[in-house]
Amino acid sequence: MYTANDSAAGIDDRLIISLQDLHHIMRSLYEGKASQKRILIILNESETITQRDLTERLGIQPGSASEILAKLEGSGWIVRRQNESDRRTTDISLTDSGKEIAEEALMQRRKRHEEMFSCLSGEEKQELLSLLEKVRCDWKKRYKENEATCKHGHRHGHGDGHGENCGHHDGHGHRDDGEQRGGHGHRDDRGHHGASNEHGGR
């Protein structure tokens, strides 16, 4: 396989390889979609949210959400109460200590975002953003059918022998609160491994 710096690769191949490499690095830097700190950050933004709405926002099964929330409650970071207007619904909010953890995690996330683009000037960042937005909008129109299939959890096979596994898309390229899977090693098609990394911090 080519690498991003391989002069024998075409420009299109090198662009895709660079994007894949960036994707794997981001996966190693971010928490999972149901990480405790991501949940705390969401709660800090929302103040109070129903367990059902939180589960939908995270894109996970209700049983998985209940397990994580039980741990957060046991740590004294959240409280769960019955919704006054709908007794079948549970409201979730942060405790004072949970709010402190959430604010620290958010500060670390913002610092990391600054570091990730510190090699670029303000003008270069704007140019990069404009180009990425142009490509993103084109891909969303061009591959709309594929995106709809991804939402149903299907795997796509391609003629080059690689299967493409559709992941959860939450909008920020992920949205800011859609931070990705830290604490795991990841391997791409060229045999590179993403670093395991646990951080405190869409």
Side-chain angles (χ1 to χ4, degrees):
M1 292 291 294
Y2 294 123
T3 66
N5 295 321
D6 196 330
S7 58
I11 184 65
D12 293 331
D13 288 334
R14 292 167 68 184
L15 284 168
I16 292 297
I17 292 167
S18 291
L19 290 172
Q20 288 175 336
D21 285 344
L22 289 171
H23 170 69
H24 286 293
I25 292 169
M26 289 183 70
R27 284 175 64 93
S28 73
L29 289 174
Y30 284 95
E31 300 86 4
K33 62 184 178 182
S35 75
Q36 292 187 12
K37 287 178 180 175
R38 184 191 172 200
I39 292 173
L40 293 175
I41 290 173
I42 291 174
L43 291 172
N44 196 38
E45 295 170 350
S46 306
E47 293 190 3
T48 299
I49 189 171
T50 66
Q51 186 162 331
R52 181 184 306 162
D53 288 345
L54 177 63
T55 300
E56 291 178 356
R57 184 164 175 180
L58 294 171
I60 62 175
Q61 296 299 316
S64 299
S66 295
E67 183 178 345
I68 299 167
L69 291 172
K71 292 178 181 178
L72 290 172
E73 193 171 31
S75 298
W77 294 343
I78 67 167
V79 290
R80 290 188 282 183
R81 300 185 181 91
Q82 273 191 330
N83 184 282
E84 293 182 2
S85 59
D86 185 352
R87 308 295 288 179
R88 298 168 300 175
T89 302
T90 302
D91 289 334
I92 307 168
S93 57
L94 291 175
T95 63
D96 289 342
S97 59
K99 189 173 181 65
E100 288 179 8
I101 298 295
E103 289 176 349
E104 180 183 351
L106 183 59
M107 182 176 63
Q108 291 175 351
R109 177 194 288 178
R110 287 171 177 164
K111 181 180 178 181
R112 182 167 65 241
H113 286 182
E114 290 177 5
E115 291 174 347
M116 290 170 77
F117 297 100
S118 61
C119 63
L120 301 177
S121 67
E123 184 178 345
E124 288 171 330
K125 289 179 188 179
Q126 189 59 54
E127 182 179 4
L128 176 61
L129 178 61
S130 297
L131 292 172
L132 289 175
E133 285 291 328
K134 184 175 182 179
V135 172
R136 184 179 66 85
C137 289
D138 178 70
W139 285 10
K140 285 182 74 69
K141 293 176 184 176
R142 190 182 301 272
Y143 305 117
K144 187 174 182 180
E145 182 178 343
N146 290 32
E147 186 178 29
T149 307
C150 281
K151 290 180 180 178
H152 290 86
H154 297 299
R155 178 185 290 270
H156 301 286
H158 296 274
D160 62 0
H162 298 291
E164 213 173 80
N165 193 12
C166 301
H168 179 264
H169 182 317
D170 63 18
H172 132 155
H174 50 212
R175 280 181 38 132
D176 216 338
D177 57 19
E179 295 191 352
Q180 306 237 357
R181 6 260 183 240
H184 299 283
H186 301 279
R187 182 182 182 91
D188 67 15
D189 292 335
R190 299 179 304 287
H192 298 307
H193 292 273
S196 280
N197 212 340
E198 285 209 12
H199 288 265
R202 156 99 209 74

